[in-house]
Every structure is written in C-alpha cells, then in structure tokens.
C-alpha cells in the first residue's frame, strides 16, 4: 500500500504508462518545469524530459488537434487543457474530429488519446466550469471523472490504454485532499462500470466527483437517524453505467442524482430520465436531482459556497425523496 | 526554394520544368488529366459535388511523389486525385462520391472523404480548418518518433481565415514539425471573392507571422508547384520545419456542380479559362518533346476509359444498408493499431494513379 | 393572410425588424448576393445593402465575437453561422462571453444578439448536427427552434427584440416545405411558451423541429385506431416551458419526448427528468424518449433514414407508452 | 507612425517625448506610479493577484487619453490602471480584487474585471483571447453606426497564439474597423518564456498577415508608446482601419503574487529590474524639467495615500451575500439599453485616475 493524494494518483498513472510505453507523451501549458497547474504533472519532465513532456503555446484547438493527429499515426498522446473552462475553445477538435474518426472511417482508424482537464470548485476558485454533459451527449467519446486517488491513477492508466478518445475530468477540490491508501499494483479499472462507494438500502444517491464525497458525508450524518444511503460514484460518465444505478434503485426504490454542474441539462438529467424509463415501476417516489442553479458560476467564496450543491442539499434531497 | 513573392510575381515565375525528370513530368500531367475527367464524372453523377476544375495543378503538384508512409491531408475540393495518386481504387472513390456501400466509408462519411488506411487525414466532418490541426498532429507524431516521414496539407484561401489555421501553423513552427502547408488559392469561398474576405492578396504573406518560409506561386503551373514542393518536403524531412506554399489559381466551376453562379464576372471566368492548367501542362510536355499530339490524345482517351469503367463499377455497387450503419465498431480495450506501412519502395507515389 | 414557406418566414422576420430598427443588421457567409445558404437571407441585401447585410470571412468565432461586441455597444446584430455543425468552432464566444456578460456585470450590460443557424437533416444531407442541448445547459442563453412558418417569422422578431443572446435553430427539412397561411400582422411570440399543436387526451408527445411534424403525422395515423395524441411543440428550448408539458401530462398521464438529436443527453433527457420529478404521480406509465441512436451522424440517404427518428418511431413509442 | 521595427530596434527607439505636452507627460507618469502602488497593494491583499509590475508603461501609454465614449478592452494583467484612468473608483476596484460586495461585479465576476458601464469590455470568463473578438465587435458597432469612436484592446504575447487573435484581427482588417490592438509583450506566459512558445521574436511581425500596420516598440518607454498610440488611434478614428502595436516589456513579478518562480534566470530579472519603466519615466520628467526630485517624491506620496485610503474602504466593505448571487436580472422583453454616454468633454481620460 502506498499513500497518495488524488493529484499524486493522476501523476502516478501517467508515469506508469510513460515508463511502460514509449508512445505515451504529455503536452500542455506549463506541464514541464512548473510541474503543471496545481502540480498536475509534477516530476514528469525530470524523469522523461522535454520531448515527452511538451510545453505548448496557448492554442487549445491546435493542442487537441495535435493529439488527434498524433494518435492517428500510432502515438498515445495525453493532452492537458489546463482547465475545463477552456474546452469551449477546442470543441470542434473533440466533437467533430476525435469523436467521429473511428466511425466515419468504418473502423479503419482509432484515436487513442486522453484529454485531461481540471474542473469544479477548487481552493483558488478559478476556472470552475463543468461541461462534462456536453461530451456525454456526443457519441464516440469516453468521459471519466474519478473521485478517489486509486481511481485517479487506475482510470488514467485505463484511459491511456483505451483506443477511444477519452475526456478525463479532474476535480480540483479533490487534488490535494488527504492521502488515501492505494494498492501498489495498478488495478484494472473497468471503463464501463460505476462504483458503489457505500452500500445502503434506503435511498440511492448517484453522484460525480466531489459530490461523491459530499454524498458519503451525508450518509455518515444520516446514519444516526437510521437512514441508510447507497452511494454510487458514477465516474464513467460516458458510456454511463446505468445498470449499476438501476440495480441499486431496484433495491432502494428511491433515487437522488447529484452533481456540481448546472442541474438543467446536466448528466443528472440523463441518469434520471433513463431510470424513469427503465425503472419506473421500481420507484416509490419521484427522483430528485441536485445541481447548480441555473445562472452563471460566480467567483467569490460566499457566492460560490451558496451556488455549489452542499452536503445539506444532499441530506435535504434524501429526506424529500423518503418523505414522498 | 523561392522566397516570399509579391502578388504580382505570381504569373511571372518561370517554370522550373527542367528540374523535374521527363517521367515525373509525364506523371504529373497524366494525374491532372485524370483529375479533370474524374471530377467531371463526379459532377455529372452528383449535383452537390465540389468541382476542382482549374485547380488540378495545385493538387497534382502538392501530392505527387510523396512516400507511402507520409501522410496527406487534402483540401475537400479535388481530393480524389490525391487519393488516387496514393493508391485508392477509382471505382471505390466514385462509389464514395455517390454514397454507395463500396465507398471507403461504407456510406457513413462525406462523399469526398478518402481511404484512411492509405495515409490520409480523412474528412469526417464538414468544419473547414480543423483538419489542419489534425494534419499538424500527424506531423507531431512523426517528429516525436524521430522518423523522416512528412505531412502535406492543403486547404482553401478562405480557410486561412479560421483560427485553427493560425494555431496549427504556429504550433508547427514552434516545434519545427515536418509538414508542408499548401494554400489552394482559388480566389473564392463559395460566392465570395477573396478580396471581400481576405485582407491581403497573397496568403504566403501569412508565413512570416510564424517565422516560416512562405512561397507564392502560379497555381496553374504544375511544374513550378511540384518543384517548390520538392524543396519544402525535403526541408520538412530534414527536420528544418514547416513551409507555407501558396498556389494561386481559379475555380473554373461553381462552388458545387449545380451552382447557379451569378456572383462573378463572365469575363473573369473566360480569362481564367484561357489559363486552364491542364492544356497548358500538356502543351509544355509537347514543347519539351516528351509527348506529341497523339500522345496528348491518348492520355485523354485512357483517362476517359479508366474513369468510365470506374463509374460503371460504382453505379453497379449497392447502396449502404442497415449493416453499414452499425454501432461504433467494438474496440478491444488495449488494442493497438500499427498502421505504419513500410516505405521507400516502388515508383513515386502518384505515378500509378490510374489503377482500375 | 399571406402564404409563406418556413424560410420565407425567417427572412420576413429579419426584414420586418431591419425596416423598423436601424440598429438591426445581419452578418454571415454568403448572406448577400448569393442570398444565404438555402436562400436563408434572400432579398435582404437588395433592400438593405452591404452595410447591413455583411459578408464575413470563414471565422465563426470572430463572427460571434463581433456580434457580442456590437450588441454591447447598442446594436442588434443577427449573426448567421451557416450550419449548426460549425457551432463547436465558436463555443467560447457563445458560452463564456455572450451567456455570462449580463450576470457577471451585475446587470450593467445586455447582449441583444441573435445567433441563427441551420440544423437537422435536410434535402442535401449536409451539416446536420443538432447541438441544441449544449446551449440549453448553459444559463444566460435563450434557445429557440421554431417549426412553423408563422413561428419562424414571429420568433425571429421576438428574438431580435429580446435583450438576451438568443440561439435560433432553423431546421433545414422545414425550409422549403409547403407554404402555410401566416397572418399579415407580426404576432407577439411568447419566448417562454411551448405551443400545443394538437390537443389530445391519450398521450403527450413533446417534440422539436421536424419531429413536431412527424408527431402530427403520427397523430393522424393513430386517429383511426382511436388513439388521441396531444402534440406539443417545445420550440422554446431554453428556458424550457415545462409548465405546458406538465399540464398536458396531468391530463394524459403518458409522455413521449421526441427529437432528432442524439437521445443520450439530449433535450429529451431534461424534459423527461423534470416531468419525472414534478409529475411522478401523474404518470401512468414510464415515459419514453425518442432520439437518434448513440453513434455519429451518417451522411448517405439510406443510413440517414435509418438513423433519424421517424413517424413510425413515434407511433411505436405511443403504443409502447399506452401498453405499459 | 513608426513602421514595423526589427526586434533589435526595440530598445533603440528614441523617445518621442517632445511630441507630448508636459501636462500629458505628467499625467502618463502619474498613472504609472498609481498603477505600481495599486498593484502592490492588490498583491499584498490577494496572493492570487496577477501583478503588472514592470508593464505600467504599456498600460498607461495604451489607454491614456481615450475619449469617454471609446471602448477599452484591457488585458487581464494590470487592467486596474485602465479602469482608474477612465473613472473607476479605486476603492471599488480594490474591493473587486478581494471579492467584496462593493466591487463592480457584486462578487460575481473575476477579481480583475472592471466597471462595464465605463466603456470596458469586462472580464466575464477566464479564457484568454476571446475578448479580442468581443472588442473587435465593439469596433464593428462603432463602424456600423458611422461614429468616430474607437476601441483599444490589449493582450499578452502568449495570447497571440490563440485562434481568436487571428480571426479577430483578420475581421477588423477586412472591414477596416476602428480598433488598435496592443500586445503587452512581457516575454512570459505563466512559466514559459516566449522563445518556447512563440515562433517569432516580434509580435508586430503578425500584422502583415492582415495587411495591417505593425509597430514594434520599447514597452518600457511610456512616451514612445503613447505617441504611437495617438497615431494609431487617430488612424482608427479617421476610418483608416486597425493597427497592431507591440510593446516589448518584462514581467517583473511572478505570474501571480505568490508565484514561487524558479523557471527563469535571476540575472534576467535583475537586468530588467534595471530598466524598470517607472523610475525611468520619472527621471525623464525630471530631465525635461517638468518636475524636480521633490515632485517625484510627492507623486509617490500621493499615490500611497490615495491607495491606502482605497484599501481601507475596500476592507471595510461587506462580503457579497445571498442577495448578490441573484438569478439573472429580469430583462424586459423589449427593453433597449442605451448605454452610449456623451463624449468629448473634460480633460484627457486618464489624467484623473486618482479619484478617492
Ligand atoms: C468552419 C466552416 N465554416 C463554413 C463552412 C461552409 N463552407 C463550405 S465550403 C466553404 C468555402 C471554403 O472556401 P475555401 O477555403 O477558399 O475553399 P474552396 O471552396 O474555395 O476550395 C465554406 C464557407 C465550412 N464548411 N466550415
Ligand atoms: C484559453 C486559455 N488558455 C490558457 C489559460 C491559462 N492562462 C492564464 S494566464 C496565462 C498566460 C497568458 O500569457 P500572456 O498572454 O502572455 O499574458 P501574461 O500573463 O504574460 O500577461 C495562461 C496560459 C487561459 N486563461 N485561457
Ligand atoms: Mg477558395
Ligand atoms: Mg506574456
């Protein structure tokens, strides 16, 4: 067992694959000497040098295009977009190129690239936008959002090895959290499976990223009241593992879906709609979604704190869904 | 390599025909003739085809002689010649253009996409400019692996106004990537003349913004273009970085085959018709004693023959069916795909564009 | 009463406002002499000249930026992105600038611009992508998708007058359909209201764009079987008029949501999730979503026809939701 | 206007101080001093502040003297001086930088955003480059209405690698829009030296790609910058189109206030510290006899005084509360918003940057 923070897990995952496979390389802004935004690539340039840890100009669309092209000729690029807020600047490369190439060439080509980026509220509050729902809507992409250090490492390894273009969302609040025990061996991360983080019988709470931890905290706080939540870490946002959610709902009959992105049109809409379709008769009460309110993401701490779904919001929702 | 030319120098460049072997001169011109005949067939079969008539010199000159392990990223207008020069089946191309199941994309992608497994950046969406970034990425892959493979990427004059053009050329310049950018400057973006939407006459003037050599050429002079390309490709192969080549030509046809036009002067069209690069190149061959008048005729004959056979095959091919719709092919989780083929054998790519 | 096709309605709406308000202008590629892609601005340059009908270079991000800036200094620009497929090239202007400006300046600024674009399957099959769900996820934008000639005109007028940035999606299949009767007077289009296109008692079918017409055709075909569908044209995709859908579901107890975009993560997910939350006890059967299957949009006619939801798909869904 | 200079000419340009009136020279230098003091205060209050130390000459030179009805789109580094020169309250700016409710955005937007109602393109998101397009749109609005209002837009050297830079300058050139683009070239993008990510030394070399005049300047010479800006602004006002001005300077501080650095040579930092534009400009004033040594001291005194009062007010201001979160303000469906204010009155904008 090693002890690792979330960001250490991410870096370890990249390091592991860069050691194993000379075709794997990283490119992004300030990923070298500076060690990446928030230390997201610390130590890599020292080990692998500037050829494999490449500094890029501020040109996100070219960066992703460069990854797509390099992947087409057999490399395994990891391209880092410093923050998810900048994804709107490179959508055509992701959505019209990377996502389409395999299908449109009738399987002749694959695009084994990873686009990693930082999202969500963080200690510095900067660039918090969460656009993952856009990508889950687009066929041809995998979308991952790990919530533990072990997953950060193992999902990174799996993403690098996957022949599909993978969007890898790293929640900033988790970056420098407490170190967790992480098995020494890299585990085989199932790219099609959500994780049940806490089994429970009363209410299913399916959550993403930081909200997984808030849901676990809510579970702890609700335990004394005799309310037993099952917490599912959705983590593979595309393809979504609806089977795991459905199995849980069949057991609990009650569903709460929680994410930090805007509620309207978020991943929670898809989870809720799909469960309403497939588990209608299993549900004992209306499902409840938790997400950010429908206005732009404010920057200062007091407003951010009011904006982002909290542990209390989860508790509230659980109580509502039980009372119904 | 020619240095950045002023716009007025375009038509004054003397043709460097002597630097190219007679066999290659013949190959280049045969390729142009093939493109002319093939494009006309596609226009007849598909009113929404984007005709490249008038621009054959740029396409032939840009892609002729690439190695099979190089990557080509042709512009959407006239890419079939590039595909054919690198080994595509003509009948599958025609099938592609009319949406048959035997097309390279099984009916999935756009009619002008090509055989991805022959080293092309395929057209998988309609957004112009984005493929310049992908092509640059292929060059990054070659640079990363330390090989001497190169990429040739062509695009329209209008496309150089896209941000993706800027970002890609900038990145290639920073990293000295092995890529040659070729602007197929036909003076139009659909109905808009370049004077309406391009603030400069010569797109080669964009090269210094990246500290990159810029070459402005007569786009109707296939030999000049190919000579410049040989230099630029050699430069890329040697690790000396990217080049921006501008070949100024004219779109003799409409934006698409059935374009009613009406947005340009007939006199202009006539003037450029006089400069048609195909008869000009053929005349050059005759002048140089490489072929005689009957040789000219038989090149045309042959092209018509091979294209009409391809058309017949394509028309006999089935439409795509539910099987071709498919879901995305299953991808083995750790499957690697080594699609680099072994290079440096056989005649110059492009010389055998006429298969089938 | 005038008789107008959908595209004539669009052009008439722009003409009406350009006559009324000198601050209104149109910019886009080939919007002048050529009359716009598919005739989408035919006649405008002849009446208003090149200053107010402006040809642009191929630079979608700058075009939208130009509209945002012009709107900030008091103009009322209409910017045309020829096809919705190109929206990924200008997302940052739409999502990070246009959508944020009003909120982030605490109301000091407004961005009265319209971004019009063509989407969906069309007679030429080109550029069919439907990304409207992305924009409905983003606070600060209005999203419209009319389905009739009268709405094409009146929604365009309302969009131009609205102080918000409006995304205006024009379905290509509807462009040159049959001419409809359209009142001579420009009507007041309610930007917050869906339209009940056909009242019915058995099943609610909420649809967008061309699917509205397919739903109406399904209604006609089902009538002889004694099945009475209520067809709702969602048309204002953001903010979504869930009240109208909810009122209908309270009456019919059965919901089908139909759109041409990919089903996963589409507008239908939001409608279905929201109705599952708010009308859970009104529903007598699981809701059903219809949308494109989850792979990239194929180009040739046979595949496109197999890909895009059809009248039969609507009929199927209606029967399924009734049988359940 | 100076023509495109070669990189080596940067520091050789003789200061055109004589072309600027003594009052304006004093105004420019006072603005620089104010910025220095204000920025230091922000750095002390907020470890994530992006210090503009060393770059004051560019900011003062670029925005000084604009009319109140012009629009300014300042770079995210050092914009407070631009805001102050056009009438912003210093205490509200400091409040903005530390996220208080009295900041111009009620705590909603980024710390470096400004008073939108004073004719600024505000920072409403963090994506660099996109605001260049918005600023260009403001210029389109002015061009459309046939007014003689102009836009001045500044941005970093690294930002010129974004596609949005390219598309915006191209559009402005095609339409001859009234805008002046100013590259605040501080040689760094966070930890990356421009030699790592910019393939050219002089960003002014990007101007010919748009057929636009490009001016390369010593970015530490406030008078040279302001002189060039006066020409470029006059050019824009006259309908002669856009200009790209590059002012080469150096970021004396970190990327943010608490940047541990370590990615550049201390000798470099020392060398540029010797060229600090603030003492240099003050010395110029003394040399020209506009102020004496005690005048220098009192400018600093005054600046410290006015800034410390602003800081005190800001710190006393409340944090934003739930009320400030709000939903988007209700917008009347047909409401028009005429935010053009009446121009051409009063002293040159920037001369009274010191309010409160
Ligand atoms: C990003 C984008 N914007 C607009 C279009 C629509 N469009 C298709 S072809 C074309 C003209 C392209 O002009 P140019 O690059 O000069 O190529 P040409 O057609 O002249 O060969 C345009 C604007 C597009 N395909 N992609
Ligand atoms: C589109 C985008 N990519 C990356 C960033 C992250 N970022 C913030 S500041 C900065 C450096 C900008 O360099 P430059 O334009 O030279 O301005 P400077 O910081 O030197 O003033 C970067 C890369 C961003 N804000 N926006
Ligand atoms: Mg062209
Ligand atoms: Mg910089």
């Amino acid at each position: 067992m090693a002890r690792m923070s979330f960001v250490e897990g991410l870096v370890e995952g990249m390091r592991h694959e860069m050691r194993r496979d000379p075709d794997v390389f990283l490119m992004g802004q300030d990923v070298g000497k500076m060690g990446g935004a928030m230390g997201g690539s610390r130590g890599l340039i020292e080990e692998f040098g500037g050829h494999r840890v490449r500094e890029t100009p501020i040109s996100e669309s070219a960066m992703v295009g460069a990854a797509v092209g390099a992947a087409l000729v057999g490399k395994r690029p990891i391209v880092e977009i410093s923050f998810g807020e900048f994804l709107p600047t490179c959508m055509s490369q992701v959505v019209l190129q990377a996502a389409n190439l395999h299908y449109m060439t009738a399987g002749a080509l694959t695009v084994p690239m990873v686009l990693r980026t930082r999202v969500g509220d963080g200690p510095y509050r900067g660039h918090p936008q969460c656009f993952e729902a856009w990508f889950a809507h687009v066929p041809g992409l995998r979308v991952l959002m790990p919530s533990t250090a072990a997953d950060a490492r193992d999902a990174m390894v799996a993403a690098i090895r996957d022949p599909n273009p993978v969007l890898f969302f790293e929640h900033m609040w988790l970056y420098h959290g407490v170190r967790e025990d992480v098995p020494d061996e890299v585990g085989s991360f199932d790219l099609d499976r959500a994780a049940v983080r806490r089994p429970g019988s009363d209410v299913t709470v399916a959550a993403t990223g930081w909200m997984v931890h808030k849901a676990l905290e809510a579970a702890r706080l609700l335990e004394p009241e005799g309310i037993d939540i099952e917490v599912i870490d959705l983590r593979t946002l595309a393809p979504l593992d609806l089977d795991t959610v459905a199995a849980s709902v069949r057991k609990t009959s009650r569903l709460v879906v929680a994410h930090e992105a805007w509620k309207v049109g978020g991943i929670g809409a898809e989870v809720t709609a799909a469960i309403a379709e497939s588990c209608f008769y299993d549900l004992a009460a209306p499902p409840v979604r938790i997400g950010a309110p429908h206005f732009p993401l404010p920057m200062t701490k007091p407003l951010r704190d009011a904006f982002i779904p909290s542990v209390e919001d989860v508790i509230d929702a659980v109580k509502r869904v039980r009372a119904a | 390599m020619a240095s950045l030319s002023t716009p007025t120098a375009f038509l004054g460049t003397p043709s460097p025909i002597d630097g190219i072997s007679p066999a290659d001169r013949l190959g280049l011109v045969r390729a142009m003739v093939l493109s002319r005949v093939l494009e006309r067939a596609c226009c007849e079969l598909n009113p929404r085809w984007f005709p490249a008539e008038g621009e054959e010199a740029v396409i032939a000159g840009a892609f002729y002689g690439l190695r099979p392990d190089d990557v080509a990223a042709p512009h959407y207008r006239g890419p079939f010649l590039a595909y054919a020069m690198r080994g595509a089946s003509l009948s599958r191309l025609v099938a592609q253009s009319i949406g048959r199941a035997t097309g390279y994309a099984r009916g999935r992608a756009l009619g002008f996409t090509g055989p991805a497994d022959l080293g092309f950046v395929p057209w998988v969406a309609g957004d112009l400019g984005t493929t310049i970034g992908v092509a640059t990425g292929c060059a990054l892959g070659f640079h990363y692996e330390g090989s001497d493979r190169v990429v040739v990427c062509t695009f329209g004059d209008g496309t150089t106004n896209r941000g993706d053009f800027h970002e890609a050329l900038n990145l290639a310049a920073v990293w000295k990537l092995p890529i040659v950018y070729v602007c197929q400057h036909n003076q139009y973006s659909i109905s808009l003349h370049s004077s309406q939407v391009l603030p400069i006459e010569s797109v080669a003037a964009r090269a210094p913004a990246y500290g990159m050599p810029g070459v402005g050429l007569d786009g109707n002079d296939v030999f000049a273009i190919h000579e410049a390309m040989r230099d630029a490709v050699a430069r890329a192969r040697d690790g000396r970085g990217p080049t921006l080549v501008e070949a100024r030509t004219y779109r003799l046809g409409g934006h698409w085959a059935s374009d009613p036009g009406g947005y340009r002067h007939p006199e202009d069209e006539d003037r450029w018709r006089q400069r048609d690069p195909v008869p000009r190149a053929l005349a050059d061959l005759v002048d140089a004693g490489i072929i005689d008048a009957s040789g000219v005729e038989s090149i045309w004959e042959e092209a018509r023959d091979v294209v009409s056979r391809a058309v017949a095959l394509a028309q006999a091919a089935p439409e795509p069916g539910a099987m071709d719709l498919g879901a995305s092919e299953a991808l083995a989780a750790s499957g690697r795909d080594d699609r680099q083929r072994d290079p440096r054998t056989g005649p110059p790519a492009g010389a055998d564009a006429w298969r089938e």
Side-chain angles (χ1 to χ4, degrees), chain A, chain B:
Chain A
M1 282 286 171
R3 291 193 61 80
M4 267 180 215
S5 66
F6 187 83
V7 65
E8 287 163 352
L10 294 170
V11 174
E12 187 52 33
M14 293 188 285
R15 181 184 295 119
H16 188 272
E17 289 305 285
M18 289 178 77
R19 284 184 182 160
R20 201 186 58 83
D21 183 348
D23 284 339
V24 177
F25 65 92
L26 171 68
M27 58 182 153
Q29 294 157 28
D30 307 290
V31 293
K33 219 164 192 177
M34 199 183 92
M38 301 177 68
S41 52
R42 189 163 293 154
L44 295 180
I45 198 166
E46 287 77 6
E47 178 168 352
F48 301 103
H51 188 68
R52 297 185 68 192
V53 180
R54 308 179 72 90
E55 303 281 17
T56 61
I58 307 175
S59 49
E60 282 75 8
S61 192
M63 290 158 65
V64 179
V68 173
L72 286 183
V73 298
K75 305 304 149 219
R76 301 247 149 187
I78 307 165
V79 58
E80 167 174 328
I81 299 299
S82 308
F83 299 95
E85 182 166 354
F86 310 148
L87 290 172
T89 69
C90 52
M91 293 297 287
S92 49
Q93 288 293 357
V94 178
V95 167
L96 299 175
Q97 297 295 323
N100 278 343
L101 273 155
H102 183 65
Y103 179 81
M104 289 295 176
T105 60
L109 300 181
T110 56
V111 187
M113 61 173 271
V114 177
L115 189 168
R116 65 179 297 221
T117 193
R118 294 173 191 86
V119 299
D121 194 19
Y124 308 122
R125 316 233 101 80
H127 311 306
Q129 312 280 346
C130 297
F131 294 124
E132 65 275 5
W134 291 353
F135 302 95
H137 183 42
V138 176
L141 302 172
R142 278 197 194 278
V143 181
L144 304 180
M145 192 187 284
S147 80
T148 68
D151 271 9
R153 182 191 65 183
D154 295 353
M156 179 62 81
V157 168
I160 294 169
R161 292 184 191 177
D162 193 66
N164 292 292
V166 178
L167 275 98
F168 197 101
F169 290 99
E170 307 171 1
H171 199 292
M172 289 190 267
W173 201 269
L174 304 177
Y175 249 55
H176 300 288
V178 286
R179 290 199 164 79
E180 302 164 31
D181 283 333
V182 173
D184 289 328
E185 283 292 287
V186 166
S188 66
F189 182 93
D190 189 337
L191 287 163
D192 296 313
R193 277 274 162 256
V196 178
R197 294 290 174 210
R198 178 188 190 284
S201 55
D202 294 335
V203 174
T204 299
V205 180
T208 66
W210 189 19
M211 287 305 297
V212 174
H213 297 270
K214 293 186 189 173
L216 289 168
E217 176 64 12
R220 268 185 294 276
L221 294 171
L222 286 165
E223 228 172 57
E225 304 186 34
I227 303 175
D228 186 24
I229 308 182
E230 175 143 317
V231 177
I232 297 176
D233 178 354
L234 289 169
R235 80 180 187 180
T236 57
L237 304 187
L240 257 175
D241 176 13
L242 291 166
D243 291 347
T244 296
V245 183
S248 175
V249 167
R250 274 187 213 108
K251 181 173 66 173
T252 64
S253 310
R254 289 176 158 82
L255 176 65
V256 170
V257 188
H259 53 62
E260 190 173 319
W262 295 299
K263 183 178 91 171
V264 174
I267 285 280
E270 179 60 33
V271 175
T272 306
I275 294 298
E277 286 176 316
S278 68
C279 300
F280 183 76
Y281 301 107
D282 302 301
L283 285 169
V288 172
R289 287 182 292 161
I290 302 174
H294 206 57
F295 43 92
L297 241 154
M299 289 296 142
T300 54
K301 179 166 164 34
L303 300 191
R304 182 72 61 84
D305 288 347
F307 180 86
I308 289 193
S310 62
V311 175
E312 291 68 45
D313 291 327
V314 179
I315 292 176
D316 253 33
V318 166
K319 292 191 169 168
R320 254 194 299 150
V321 81
R322 284 189 81 236
Chain B
M1 179 177 307
S3 68
L4 177 68
S5 78
T6 56
T8 49
F10 272 122
L11 303 176
T13 320
S15 172
I17 188 170
D18 291 320
I20 305 174
S21 77
D24 282 344
R25 282 184 254 170
L26 189 58
L28 282 161
V29 179
R30 279 167 50 91
M32 291 172 69
V33 171
L34 177 67
S35 178
R36 176 66 52 96
V37 175
L38 184 56
E39 287 279 323
R40 287 210 173 166
C42 291
C43 286
E44 251 170 57
L45 295 165
N46 176 358
R48 305 295 290 187
W49 188 251
F50 302 101
E53 185 153 336
E55 308 178 30
E56 294 87 349
V58 189
I59 307 163
F63 295 108
Y64 188 89
L66 281 187
R67 289 195 330 222
D69 67 332
D70 293 329
V71 157
H75 185 42
Y76 82 99
R77 188 180 297 285
F80 276 15
L81 175 58
Y83 305 150
M85 286 199 293
R86 290 165 61 84
S89 141
L90 293 188
S91 69
R92 293 191 67 187
L93 291 180
V94 177
Q96 180 72 37
S97 79
I98 58 174
R100 295 298 159 91
T102 55
Y104 283 97
R106 291 175 63 187
R108 294 179 183 180
L110 292 151
F112 49 82
T113 198
D117 52 354
L118 294 178
F120 290 102
V121 172
W123 283 96
V124 297
D127 53 320
L128 292 176
T130 316
T131 57
I132 306 176
V134 177
T136 303
C138 296
L140 168 62
F142 298 162
H143 168 79
Y144 180 79
E145 70 193 15
S147 78
D148 65 351
R149 299 161 73 188
V150 305
V151 179
V152 172
C153 173
T154 62
F155 41 79
D157 45 310
T159 304
T160 70
N161 295 326
R162 276 286 320 279
D164 282 67
F165 164 87
H166 176 71
E167 292 195 0
L169 270 73
N170 189 64
L171 194 69
V174 166
W175 286 340
K176 285 193 175 304
L177 299 183
I179 182 165
V180 182
Y181 298 104
V182 182
C183 179
Q184 186 172 328
H185 189 335
N186 65 4
Q187 306 184 44
Y188 279 88
S189 309
I190 309 187
S191 73
L192 305 176
H193 187 258
S194 50
S195 61
Q196 294 175 270
V197 285
L198 249 184
I200 49 175
E201 268 208 67
S202 166
V203 166
R206 303 204 143 165
Y210 315 106
M212 194 186 287
V215 188
L217 297 169
D218 175 357
N220 284 8
D221 183 344
V222 69
F223 307 118
I225 294 166
H226 186 59
E227 177 106 345
M229 286 301 297
R230 280 198 323 203
D231 291 346
V233 164
R235 186 181 152 85
R237 243 188 249 301
D238 289 358
R240 284 179 291 138
T243 302
L244 173 60
V245 173
E246 172 196 25
R248 175 83 140 249
T249 178
Y250 189 84
R251 193 191 73 201
L252 286 174
H255 171 58
W256 51 79
S258 61
D259 185 350
Y263 47 77
R264 56 187 184 182
H265 289 294
E267 313 89 78
D268 252 23
E269 300 185 54
D270 289 346
R271 188 149 21 98
W272 281 95
R273 179 61 74 184
Q274 304 308 316
R275 302 180 188 158
D276 186 332
V278 178
R280 170 174 165 184
L282 285 162
D284 279 350
L285 289 192
V286 174
D287 287 352
I290 295 171
I291 53 171
D292 59 15
S294 79
V296 171
E297 206 28 62
S298 67
I299 293 177
W300 284 109
E301 274 306 316
E302 262 184 277
R304 281 184 211 114
D305 185 52
V306 79
V307 169
S308 70
R309 273 183 290 134
V311 168
L313 275 170
Q315 287 183 310
E319 304 251 329
M323 258 186 44
D324 301 294
L325 185 60
S328 192
E329 267 69 26
L331 286 168
S334 60
R336 293 296 301 276
D337 181 1
D338 272 333
R339 93 191 56 69
Q340 299 92 321
R341 288 160 302 112
D342 209 297
R344 268 159 285 197
T345 45
D352 54 349
W354 297 53
R355 71 181 43 74
E356 151 194 7

